[in-house]
Amino acid sequence: MKHRTRTALALAGCVAVLAACSTEDPNASGGGGGGGGEGDVETGNGVTDDTITVGMLTDLSGPFAAGAAIQVTQTQAYYDQVNEDGGICGRDVEVQVQDHGYDPQRAVTLYRSMAPEVVALQQVLGGPTSAAVLPLAEADGLYLGGHGWAGVALQYENAQIPGTTYAIESANAIDYLVDELGLSEGAKVGVVYFVGDYGSDSLAGAQYAAGERGLEVVPQEITPRDTDLSAQASALQQAGVSAVILGAAPGQLASLAGVLAAQGLDVPIIGNTPTFGPSLLETPAGPALEQNFYTVTSIAPYSLDEPGVQAARELYEAAAPDGELGWEVPLATAQAELLSAALEGACEAGDLTPEGVVAAMRETSDLDTEGLYATPLDYTEVTEPPTRTVYVSRASADAEGGLEVLGTFEGPSAQSYTVG
Amino acid sequence: MPDPLLTVDDLTVAYDGAVQALRGVSLRVDAGSVVAVLGSNGAGKTTLLRAVSRSLGTVGGAVTGGTIRFGGQDLARRDASWAVRAGLVQVPEGRRIFRDLTVEENLRAGGYTARDARARAEATDRVFDLFPILAERRHQRGGLLSGGQQQMLAMGRGLMTSPKLLLLDEPSLGLAPQLVEQIGDIIEQIHAQGTSVLLIEQNASMGLRVADRAYVLEVGTITASGTAAELASTDDIRDRYLGVGTSSPTRTTHEDEPVDVPVHLRRSSTATAQELRVEDLTVRFGGITALSEVSFTVAAGTIHALIGPNGAGKSTCINVLGGAYRATSGTVHYGDATVSALPSHRIADLGVARTFQNISLSLEATVEDNLLVGRHRVMRTGTAAQALRLPNARKEERTEREAVRRIAVLLGIDAVLDRAVHTLSYGDRKRVEMGRALAAEPTLLLLDEPVAGMTHGESVVMADAIRAVQQELGLSVLLVEHDMPFVMGLAERITVLDFGKRIAEGSPQDVQRDPEVLRAYLGTAAA
Amino acid sequence: MTYLLTQLANGLSYGLILGLIAVGFVIVFTSTGVLNFAHGSVLLAGAYLVAVLHDPIGFWAAAVVGIAGAALLAVLINAVLVRNLAEANPGTAAILMLGVDILLLTELTRRIGNRVLTIGSPWGADVFSFGGITLPMSRVIAAGLAIVVFALLWFLFARTGTGIAMRAAAADGDTASLMGIRLSRTGAAGWALAGALAAIAGIFLASFPAPGVAPTLAISAFAAIPAWVLGGFDSVVGAIVGGLIIGVVTALAVGYESELHFLGRGLGEVVPYAVMILVLLVRPSGLFGRKEAVRV
């Protein structure tokens, strides 16, 4: 009996240590915002005379750990540079990182302990986790960014969506199929999507646009556990689809593209932002992807030749010379830029409090990101996405990060789609 | 004098570090001899065998003193696997064959340590010579064999490594008289082939017949030893183990004066025993007919026995009456209720309780808790009241504990009420199981081999207890048993089954004289 | 018709792979009484080894190392953790396995990162076509290999001393040890076998049409749990039949999702469990669960 207890305890200990290890920089800042401030800037939680603390609730031990780690690295590198250049509002920016492991319950708990110590949340990664935290942050009037592109976030005043929504991405995909890839009226389009906020939003946009453009949608619901999409591919072939839109993850993309090619179904596959990962090109599905895969993203792919993206690349390659490449790099840079702009705005308005940051974000009407996004961003309307334009890219083994940009695109149904 | 094959010297064994099972036991088995160990239940016989075969650990026991030497080697640091390889094999109590493995595979498992394929094939041939029935049924699953065949398989399995010393734990347990004789013959044959045997046996007459030497083990110590003939002529041994003494109490019938046991059992309801009518009962499993148009009637408030060779369908019959099996055709009525159409819990509600041939008790729970489970049917306060320990519930719990204690006293297990069941011997577990059935205040009690594994003296006590309960509570008893003195002394009426058919019925005197019964079951010895 | 046959072929080949995994669950359960919830991460570990080694040492050598590695890992889990639990109740061991699964999975997730590692198999993305039915070559090979493996398992358990000893130990360990069978050996053999089977299944689960080795692979092993349960927990044959049933039913549910629309979307996810529950309602001990042999 005693023996058994000891083994169990040892195990529990191991798990605890592991969790601790994967939490970088726990409670790095003492936090504690004072009421008073320097000059005539009013301050609140997370701001002292010499530091501004921002939080990241991210997934360092769950399914999105790998991409999340890139974002943490890049965000850290970004603020290191900001601090080197004199900081924001005369203060250094510190990033507090906590690992929620893609568990909404843990995310809420971590949020509660983090909220009083930060002036804004740079990121709450993940659909279910950010959905759990968003209402709480709204009640606290706390800025929340980096939560992905699900349309539901557009109802929160405090949420800064990092680009357009999945629905508008997919509406653009339909428009692109009709206008650029020559699908004719009456053609069928398969939509393979994850159950949940992400996939359902993608499906909604595709269905709306298909209605507008006279196409028919063939939906196929899957979960992240499905990595063999043979049955779905057969069903799509049976239905006679002329194109497929995919609202899923890289594993599903590789399987779907491979099987479709094996079945001799040579049709375009258009994916939402999270669908692609550069390592897919080394799998057996690589050739099929280069042949048929497109992606519609509001954030620029890694390889785009624009100053904003170039700067992000340089920063990242200096910070993590052997790091994995991917769209997470420009995304993290853009998210940090968005928050920095809001912090600067709040400083100028003399109100560097959580509420002040949200107010400043909502006054941003024409933010230029030097190519990180296709158009300037406008956050003045709460329920409106800041842009409806996407980059259209193709898979290419020659491009860094595996994607080669074809151009920007904004179709008629993407323009007319009403959110919510 | 040759070196002894096995010497046990001053052996002490304790369970769970506390319960002393053996105290200073010494014995020896010379090469080429058969040694029997007699003793009542709980005396430590099985413990002794397990200590020798190095398998005490799995039941929570440990040698705390003394030495065991086999072929000159000290076994202190050896495990069961080593012992088998050295030629020391135990055939466990209750046969314990692998039910889902075929006969051939059971033997193969027994010969696991014999790496040489030729030696294994020779051993298989030897076993098949010894037990021709096993050769015939070599491809059948072990679980489908009858009790006697299973015992043969267990012994055959033990012989597969051609051991120097075979440890046999109650080989005659639950076997018909004729088969007991046969097992005795087989032990002699095994001995003749050069294997020494250390035999534990509750059937002392068989044990003493085949053994050269014998020891009597009582409450963990050796109380007598000598040649088999010496012991067989001792009065004490004759009385307690052989049942041939002058004052055999089994001959009492229920018309005699009530036995002197303080019972004071009271029914908490007014239920009374009903007539049990079994009509044209047929049970088939797949292609095998286990019971074929069997009819008999148990009159209300009587003791009725069901006897017959192993595999005759007796347990099947009990299982249908208790609701565990479905009748293929035919009916069973208990009073006005049609038992054969009811699920087992509804049958229990009619006041029918049973015990099992293979004991089914909660092993980790105490004896008292096992008995209290039986009270469940007659307890009044609800689960919620019990959980909240309301005054009513507490009062009832005291009453229940009192009732359980009375049952325990009656069955002679009051001293072990606080012990966990897994620390008890086979015979004591039988008593606990019977106590649990009695605790439910049945009007009909079904007993499947209630005295299997008990010495003659113990079975006498059990018979008295059953009779006392039957008189005090006015219940009917239907029992299956191979212990003929027990059955003949206790039952008012006997039904004899063979190959699933009824071959005789009548009073004990009639049945004992029936030539058909003598041929099929009792054998010549009983005549 | 061709469509139906394609889906059936798909389901059968997938079902055989599930069978490989489910048999591993059964063997560990019968040999040591443990509900091995770390099976998925052992599978992932085996596939991971193949993925990282196929480049330097070639696919076949990598496959051998991966299978042996997974077997060794399983044996270590048994030797270091399970055996130290002594006579622990099954619940404790199952929870311990959940913990092991989390540890292994976290470490493997860290190593794999956001890459999708290819398994480097020689059959790559080849496709097998026969009479209008197309099936990935990896699936055809998987099905053939699974059948060979099952035949070998039958031979092991029915014809060899070790196999019979393992069955004896599973049926009644105490008695088996009286025959000189070492339970520590049969337990280790069971875990090793389960680990090897998991790695074989892992190689094919990570082959085309799946993308490659990703952490989700560990979760796909859990798809074999309904197969294991409906087969009856302790029956190797049951696990294989269960795998085939789950494989076919899942393929058909997904393939005919548009026709089965009234049942809602995402049917493929629910159907294995629905089938499992149905079977358990009719046969509570599963299709081939141990029933006491009837003594007459």
Side-chain angles (χ1 to χ4, degrees), chain A residues 330-347:
Chain A
L331 175 63
T333 315
Q335 286 170 168
E337 246 173 55
L338 293 174
L339 178 54
S340 300
L343 291 171
E344 299 273 12
C347 178

Side-chain angles (χ1 to χ4, degrees), chain B residues 65-251:
Chain B
T67 55
I68 306 170
R69 300 177 77 83
F70 178 69
Q73 290 250 31
D74 189 348
L75 295 185
R77 304 217 165 273
R78 306 299 191 178
D79 66 354
S81 177
W82 184 91
V84 172
R85 287 172 170 81
L88 176 60
V89 174
Q90 181 184 355
V91 178
E93 181 180 22
R95 332 201 226 287
R96 303 278 287 272
I97 55 143
F98 304 116
R99 306 176 70 86
D100 288 333
L101 270 59
T102 65
V103 168
E104 218 164 35
E105 288 168 344
N106 264 283
L107 295 180
R108 186 85 186 265
Y112 175 70
T113 54
R115 280 292 162 209
D116 178 7
R118 247 209 15 241
R120 236 180 13 230
E122 281 170 19
T124 312
D125 290 343
R126 253 199 328 275
V127 169
F128 284 157
D129 278 348
L130 208 51
F131 308 103
I133 184 73
L134 294 184
E136 223 170 275
R137 308 187 72 168
R138 63 206 295 169
H139 298 304
Q140 260 181 29
R141 282 198 298 156
L144 293 172
L145 301 184
S146 72
Q149 291 162 357
Q150 290 189 5
Q151 182 59 50
M152 294 179 197
L153 179 55
M155 289 168 74
R157 193 176 57 180
L159 289 171
M160 280 297 293
T161 47
S162 312
K164 296 193 190 93
L165 176 61
L166 192 64
L167 311 175
L168 293 175
D169 197 349
E170 307 269 18
S172 76
L173 185 70
L175 296 184
Q178 230 180 6
L179 279 171
V180 174
E181 275 180 57
Q182 203 185 334
I183 296 289
D185 295 343
I186 290 164
I187 294 172
E188 284 175 339
Q189 249 175 292
I190 291 170
H191 174 225
Q193 289 177 4
T195 301
S196 307
V197 177
L198 176 57
L199 168 72
I200 280 179
E201 193 43 74
Q202 49 95 14
N203 188 325
S205 56
M206 190 270 265
L208 291 179
R209 194 189 98 206
V210 300
D212 307 319
R213 279 183 69 77
Y215 294 81
V216 176
L217 188 63
E218 272 169 5
V219 208
T221 50
I222 300 279
T223 55
S225 66
T227 66
E230 277 165 24
L231 283 178
S233 58
T234 321
D235 281 348
D236 186 40
I237 304 288
R238 289 166 69 87
D239 253 6
R240 295 177 58 187
Y241 298 106
L242 292 171
V244 293
T246 44
S247 60
S248 173
T250 49
R251 295 299 165 192

Side-chain angles (χ1 to χ4, degrees), chain C residues 156-221:
Chain C
L156 171 73
F157 284 124
R159 288 284 179 272
T160 70
T162 309
I164 289 170
M166 285 176 74
R167 283 168 63 205
D172 182 348
D174 187 22
T175 305
S177 63
L178 289 179
M179 325 269 96
I181 295 165
R182 284 203 169 93
L183 300 186
S184 55
R185 297 258 177 91
T186 56
W191 279 81
L193 210 51
L197 291 175
I200 295 172
I203 290 171
F204 287 105
L205 279 181
S207 287
F208 179 79
V213 179
T216 47
L217 201 58
I219 305 166
S220 35

Side-chain angles (χ1 to χ4, degrees), chain A residues 5 13 16 40 69 106 211 250 257 304 324 350 354 409 419:
Chain A
T5 316
D40 44 2
R106 229 161 101 197
L304 183 67
E324 306 280 338
F409 185 80
V419 177

Side-chain angles (χ1 to χ4, degrees), chain C residues 77-133:
Chain C
I77 291 173
N78 178 47
V80 176
L81 294 169
V82 178
R83 295 209 43 220
N84 280 328
L85 280 174
E87 296 159 55
N89 66 44
T92 315
I95 289 165
L96 179 67
M97 287 305 103
L98 281 176
V100 171
D101 191 55
I102 291 170
L103 282 171
L104 281 174
L105 198 53
T106 308
E107 173 59 15
L108 287 165
T109 304
R110 193 183 67 75
R111 285 174 173 273
I112 295 169
N114 68 338
R115 294 170 299 165
V116 175
L117 301 173
T118 57
I119 209 86
S121 59
W123 50 85
D126 295 350
V127 175
F128 173 84
S129 294
F130 179 79
I133 302 170

Side-chain angles (χ1 to χ4, degrees), chain A residues 64 100 102-105 107-108 124-135 147 196-198:
Chain A
F64 296 99
H100 61 48
Y102 207 61
D103 173 0
Q105 206 59 51
V108 167
V124 178
L125 187 127
T129 37
S130 58
V133 171
L134 264 169
H147 46 69
D197 279 352
Y198 159 35

